[in-house]
Amino acid sequence: MDGGKGRKILVTGALGQIGSELVPALRHRYGENQVVASDIRIPAAGAYEGLFEQVDCTQPLAIQDVVRRHDIGAVYHMAALLSAVAEERPQIAWSINLGGLYNVLEVARQNGAAVFCPSSIGAFGPSTPRDGTPQTTIQRPTSMYGVTKVAGELLCDYYFERFGLDVRGLRLPGLISHSAQPGGGTTDYAVDIFYQAVRYSHYTCFLSPDTRLDMMYMPDAIDGIIQLMEAAPARLKHRNAFNVTAMNFTPDELAGEIRKSIADFAIDYEVDPVRQAISESWPHSVDDSAARREWDWNPHYDLAAMTADMLAKLGAKLKTPARRA
Ligand code: SER
């Protein structure tokens, strides 16, 4: 949704993996001047177009100041650390991922703003059923990232039940994009592999060949976020933490798909024990029927379509002619 009644949208983490594609999509949909981008980082002079504010989400007054000055009616809260880096720096991850969310929810409550909050397949753990993972199931994650995601889901539910705050969210799987690169995530291999394939026809993967995880192409994720925020509230039984997925594959299967376009593409493996352990605690494939039922979730990209588009877009971006098998 837009901010409602002419109010603006604030995107936190706007320079991150999702934020850098969400901001242009929201501006396209609701108007260039209706969306304020924010991040803890400050873009180089002249490198960013449109409204931008530097905001550290661990500082509630900084969020309050921007929300009041710009008359913000909806916050898309994307500022967070991903799983591997959160595991390296658990104290900071708690402060950013959960403290930041708490601050955003409080400021939204005080200013009557709606909130979008991304959860993740990381909110599940080793005791969760891994195939057809239900919408409502056991959630006992073992990573700090997962702990903050489950706690965040509960906090969002609490703010809706207790204060009537319109907070909605998705459990996103690994996201693949040719625009901004992720950093410090367990599913990052599925992005890195394309850059290395286009540049060098070779990739060394940090997950083992048979590690199956849910994934999604970024255009579907952006559409899903906007679609959920525009959904009629009366249809939403869950509101928050919807399972969503578009495809699932292993590194070996993704390499096979890339080889259909780059015949000499080679993959080898140097498994990172931290990220391997995290991935083995996550689902293979979630059941996203609640999202399909309640707000018509319907992703467009499967493995073949995503791979073809990634190779074409990266070929153009890296100025490497797309090769054909
Ligand atoms: N893509 C994220 C990560 O790997 C999962 O939500 O951390």
Side-chain angles (χ1 to χ4, degrees):
M1 71 183 68
D2 61 6
K5 299 190 183 113
R7 299 177 80 195
K8 291 193 178 72
I9 291 171
L10 174 66
V11 179
T12 69
L15 302 181
Q17 190 200 9
I18 303 176
S20 57
E21 295 196 42
L22 182 60
V23 169
L26 291 171
R27 286 184 173 156
H28 181 72
R29 190 158 183 87
Y30 303 119
E32 288 295 316
N33 294 320
Q34 285 304 106
V35 181
V36 181
S38 74
D39 202 281
I40 193 166
R41 291 168 287 180
I42 303 173
Y48 201 86
E49 280 180 23
L51 292 168
F52 185 92
E53 296 276 358
Q54 199 243 350
V55 175
D56 173 354
C57 290
T58 65
Q59 305 299 318
L61 292 181
I63 308 169
Q64 181 76 276
D65 170 59
V66 169
V67 165
R68 295 234 162 119
R69 257 190 306 114
H70 289 279
D71 190 20
I72 298 295
V75 183
Y76 289 67
H77 178 49
M78 316 313 296
L81 297 188
L82 289 177
S83 57
V85 76
E87 211 45 40
E88 264 168 38
R89 305 158 80 192
Q91 297 84 356
I92 294 172
W94 177 267
S95 157
I96 294 177
N97 289 15
L98 205 61
L101 174 61
Y102 172 77
N103 293 337
V104 164
L105 291 171
E106 262 305 288
V107 170
R109 180 184 71 78
Q110 290 163 20
N111 293 277
V115 175
F116 173 83
C117 172
S119 186
S120 158
I121 51 171
F124 299 114
S127 50
T128 303
R130 296 186 75 190
D131 295 293
T133 306
Q135 174 66 38
T136 304
T137 185
I138 300 165
Q139 289 182 268
R140 307 289 296 172
T142 45
S143 67
M144 178 50 96
Y145 181 73
V147 169
T148 64
K149 288 298 179 188
V150 176
E153 290 182 2
L154 294 173
L155 199 57
C156 289
D157 283 348
Y158 180 83
Y159 268 74
F160 173 65
E161 296 295 340
R162 178 76 167 78
F163 302 116
L165 188 80
D166 188 2
V167 49
R168 308 182 188 187
L170 305 175
R171 288 186 187 127
L172 292 165
L175 295 179
I176 300 158
S177 144
H178 53 81
S179 185
Q181 285 186 263
T186 299
T187 56
D188 293 14
Y189 91 85
V191 180
D192 299 342
I193 192 172
F194 283 102
Y195 281 83
Q196 302 301 314
V198 169
R199 284 190 176 122
Y200 310 116
S201 289
H202 176 261
Y203 180 61
T204 301
C205 186
F206 57 77
L207 295 184
S208 67
D210 55 351
T211 308
R212 181 171 301 284
L213 289 168
D214 273 312
M215 299 279 176
M216 188 182 295
Y217 200 31
M218 190 63 88
D220 280 328
I222 301 294
D223 285 352
I225 292 168
I226 293 175
Q227 223 182 315
L228 171 62
M229 291 301 277
E230 290 188 349
R235 283 184 68 194
L236 299 181
K237 293 196 178 57
H238 292 89
R239 300 196 81 89
N240 164 33
F242 280 96
N243 281 2
V244 281
T245 186
M247 63 189 94
N248 65 77
F249 53 75
T250 65
D252 184 53
E253 288 167 359
L254 178 55
E257 191 61 38
I258 291 173
R259 233 171 262 126
K260 290 181 185 169
S261 299
I262 302 177
D264 61 347
F265 175 65
I267 186 165
D268 56 23
Y269 296 88
E270 272 174 32
V271 172
D272 167 18
V274 174
R275 284 181 285 191
Q276 186 64 35
I278 291 174
S279 71
E280 285 175 14
S281 73
W282 289 357
H284 294 147
S285 62
V286 300
D287 173 357
D288 61 3
S289 53
R292 290 176 185 270
R293 205 167 45 239
E294 293 178 36
W295 50 276
D296 307 319
W297 164 243
N298 182 23
H300 292 102
Y301 287 89
D302 60 10
L303 174 59
M306 176 276 291
T307 302
D309 202 57
M310 276 295 282
L311 291 175
K313 297 276 167 44
L314 278 185
K317 181 170 153 179
L318 304 175
K319 307 255 181 306
T320 307
R323 291 179 292 173
R324 288 283 162 262

